[in-house]
Amino acid sequence: MTPTTTGPAEAADEAPAADHVDVLIVGAGLSGIGAACHLQTGAPTLSYAIVEARGSSGGTWDLFRFPGVRSDSDMFTLGYVFRPWTKTNAIADGGEILRYVRDTAAEYGVDEHITYHTKVVRAEWSTADARWTVTVENTGSGARGTRTCGFLYLCSGYYRYDEGFTPTWPGRDDFTGVVVHPQHWPDGLEVTGKRVVVIGSGATAVTLVPALAATAAHVTMLQRSPSFVMSLPGRDPIAALLRKVLPERRAAAAVRWKNIRIATAVYTMARRYPRRMRAMLRKAAIKRLPAGYDVDIHFKPTYEPWDQRLCLVPDGDLFEAINSGRADVMTDHIEAFTRSGLRLRSGATLDADIIVTATGLNLHPLGGIDLRVDGETMRISERVVYKGMMLDGVPNLAFALGYTNASWTLKVDLVAAYVTRLLSAMRRNNEAMVTPRLPADPMDTSPFIDMTSGYFERSRDSLPLQGDRTPWRLRQHYVKDSALFGDPTGDPELEFQSLASHH
């Protein structure tokens, strides 16, 4: 029986199929599509299927429909290594990225392997059978079924798609205007001529403000505390130049490496010399803001650069919106919602027709799946992550989580290529199981993601751990990490078991 397959936005209503594949990929977003392409080209003898809980592919880039949605890193590194981004814009809007992901899926034929409306609720590993039995639920009918696979590859991202994070505010129901969370932007919401307040100071807020300011009467970005904001050119002049003198693929590879090096250098400098980085970002903001603007109240965070993700704004569009008078920033705390807007701790009031709660995501590590190994429930928060992609003591399972300090795809591409090599080697060597094993000597552990952003802080208890040394800790440095993802068969931390021991 073959998996039910539908187009990128069609529904599959029948109960999930109960067939066996070598690899089951969970999630048909940027990571899942990339993983399937790597498998298809690097391990063509392996069978695979993709299950997707939503009714369409594209993940984040299909879900987020808010005004101005765009990449938060450059497209030359956010694009796949095997299918380079060939347009001239370094920052792309959400629709362009969605087309790119879907075009990649179609070009490689992986769109034919996707079953939609199929949510994974449980995965149970049996050592005796060397396979996962995966319980799936049709999101429309609620019908449950099972799929089995030799290897489970989780590419479902790290946050909940069905709900964003919204704090509880007093008087929320008194407000007579519209309240909207960016994760669920309603079709046809009219902002022209309206007074808009965007609550938040992260990547989503700094994206929304200039986009809304283009037509709204006025937009206020209301933040409890500032974030670091860095302007990046929307187009890459060096990319355009290289394209004139080099063949397409070589030009793309050169631009990709240039941008990897620059991003790595910026991150390294920020961690080594935070005061210098602070001064540079402050100076750049002053240059783009109106004369006399209080930059230290609105653009001077209490944390160090890269303790939280840097907010990138193409061509300084946020600063431009403030400069034009169409937008402003207020740094204050919300005391309560009122009928006409917000009352702030300082005593000030903000009138609004629309309030946007750009207050963050709810993390959902490994898709919230109930994982069991030989009947024992695996508590994710007690497991140590191997190479940023597998869990100690959990056989035949990998997951794709991108970088937090660089382009997401750089890391998931590394992982996908490694998983492909690992599975190919296992097939050649007649091996049925691979399990990361912790070292015998004691190892200190810390949370897997060591950033201080609110959504990570709120989810500390559900995140896995990382160790104090390689390969149980990644450097968050693409060039150094790349060296770790070589030949998987020589890794002493991996325990392999042959097919013979299962018959």
Side-chain angles (χ1 to χ4, degrees):
M1 190 174 171
T2 56
T4 318
T5 307
T6 62
E10 295 166 18
D13 294 321
E14 47 268 75
D19 47 339
H20 180 81
V21 286
D22 293 320
V23 186
L24 185 66
I25 296 170
V26 181
L30 185 72
S31 307
I33 298 294
C37 293
H38 274 281
L39 275 177
Q40 188 140 300
T41 52
T45 61
L46 294 174
S47 61
Y48 73 91
I50 307 172
V51 289
E52 168 58 55
R54 301 175 71 243
S56 49
S57 62
T60 292
W61 304 108
D62 179 59
L63 177 72
F64 285 161
R65 304 289 177 93
F66 61 82
V69 60
R70 63 188 181 213
S71 57
D72 61 353
S73 48
D74 76 277
M75 286 306 299
F76 302 104
T77 57
L78 191 69
Y80 298 117
V81 66
F82 56 85
R83 189 174 181 265
W85 180 256
T86 55
K87 297 185 178 181
T88 54
N89 51 329
I91 302 292
D93 66 46
E96 276 187 290
I97 302 169
L98 180 59
R99 273 193 301 280
Y100 168 77
V101 172
R102 286 185 179 165
D103 287 350
T104 304
E107 188 177 304
Y108 282 75
V110 304
D111 52 348
E112 295 169 18
H113 294 252
I114 306 170
T115 311
Y116 293 99
H117 299 289
T118 306
K119 181 185 179 183
V120 174
V121 290
R122 186 183 305 128
E124 300 170 273
W125 171 262
S126 162
T127 297
D129 303 317
R131 65 168 51 183
W132 287 97
T133 298
V134 179
T135 303
V136 290
E137 182 177 286
N138 183 295
T139 55
S141 65
R144 288 195 169 187
T146 56
R147 306 284 294 257
T148 59
C149 62
F151 194 94
L152 187 58
Y153 196 168
L154 306 176
C155 297
S156 48
Y158 64 98
Y159 68 90
R160 284 187 69 149
Y161 277 45
D162 57 344
E163 59 174 39
F165 174 71
T166 309
T168 306
W169 290 291
R172 162 78 173 70
D173 295 335
D174 298 340
F175 180 57
T176 55
V178 177
V179 180
V180 57
H181 193 287
Q183 196 166 318
H184 302 288
W185 197 269
D187 283 341
L189 179 65
E190 189 50 73
V191 298
T192 305
K194 301 284 175 69
R195 296 162 303 172
V196 184
V197 174
V198 177
I199 303 170
S201 60
T204 302
V206 303
T207 299
L208 273 163
V209 170
L212 295 170
T215 58
H218 189 76
V219 181
T220 299
M221 184 167 98
L222 174 62
Q223 57 182 18
R224 283 185 308 180
S225 57
S227 297
F228 285 108
V229 179
M230 182 180 183
S231 183
L232 190 80
R235 295 193 172 274
D236 190 327
I238 296 173
L241 184 69
L242 286 171
R243 284 217 174 86
K244 288 178 182 169
V245 296
L246 289 174
E248 187 69 67
R249 287 193 83 83
R250 282 186 61 198
V255 175
R256 185 182 172 87
W257 268 107
K258 168 188 76 76
N259 289 1
I260 288 168
R261 296 283 185 184
I262 291 170
T264 304
V266 168
Y267 176 74
T268 306
M269 181 184 162
R271 299 317 273 169
R272 277 192 196 154
Y273 311 107
R275 285 178 63 184
R276 193 185 300 178
M277 190 68 179
R278 257 182 190 282
M280 280 173 60
L281 290 167
R282 183 178 182 274
K283 194 174 171 186
I286 289 170
K287 210 168 171 180
R288 288 181 175 269
L289 287 162
Y293 187 87
D294 204 335
V295 70
D296 287 339
I297 286 189
H298 303 308
F299 289 97
K300 185 184 178 183
T302 53
Y303 59 86
E304 298 296 3
W306 278 117
D307 280 353
Q308 297 181 22
R309 205 177 162 104
L310 241 62
C311 294
L312 298 179
V313 291
D315 300 319
D317 63 0
L318 174 70
F319 300 120
E320 197 180 293
I322 295 167
N323 237 322
S324 71
R326 298 190 312 273
D328 66 348
V329 179
M330 283 189 78
T331 305
D332 208 331
H333 286 245
I334 296 170
E335 202 163 78
F337 275 59
T338 64
R339 280 181 62 75
S340 59
L342 299 166
R343 186 171 70 250
L344 307 178
R345 191 183 286 176
S346 64
T349 56
L350 262 180
D351 286 341
D353 303 303
I354 300 169
I355 295 176
V356 183
T357 57
T359 43
L361 308 162
N362 281 324
L363 289 206
H364 209 37
L366 309 193
I369 295 166
D370 174 10
L371 273 185
R372 300 175 190 187
V373 173
D374 293 326
E376 183 192 345
T377 297
M378 291 289 111
R379 296 192 203 294
I380 304 297
S381 57
E382 295 172 2
R383 299 282 140 191
V384 185
V385 174
Y386 169 77
K387 291 192 178 180
M389 52 159 277
M390 294 174 89
L391 299 173
D392 85 274
V394 181
N396 290 30
L397 178 137
F399 58 89
L401 276 184
Y403 283 124
T404 48
N405 68 327
S407 164
W408 178 269
T409 318
L410 288 176
K411 166 100 173 294
V412 298
D413 255 339
L414 275 181
V415 169
Y418 181 85
V419 167
T420 301
R421 285 195 297 278
L422 175 66
L423 294 173
S424 296
M426 287 172 69
R427 171 65 58 97
R428 277 196 311 275
N429 300 331
N430 281 334
E431 284 156 344
M433 274 177 71
V434 58
T435 313
R437 297 292 182 195
L438 288 173
D441 47 327
M443 179 168 64
D444 289 336
T445 58
S446 59
F448 177 52
I449 297 171
D450 53 7
M451 295 182 88
T452 61
S453 309
Y455 53 99
F456 292 128
E457 291 290 350
R458 287 193 303 274
S459 303
R460 282 276 176 255
D461 297 344
S462 61
L463 290 170
L465 301 165
Q466 61 177 342
D468 58 10
R469 68 196 84 143
T470 308
W472 304 99
R473 188 181 196 94
L474 289 185
R475 308 276 189 89
Q476 295 292 317
H477 185 299
Y478 178 76
V479 180
K480 290 175 180 171
D481 290 345
S482 297
L484 277 181
F485 289 90
D487 176 13
T489 54
D491 290 353
E493 298 81 8
L494 291 182
E495 176 186 284
F496 292 93
Q497 284 179 256
S498 68
L499 277 173
S501 62
H502 290 281
H503 293 293

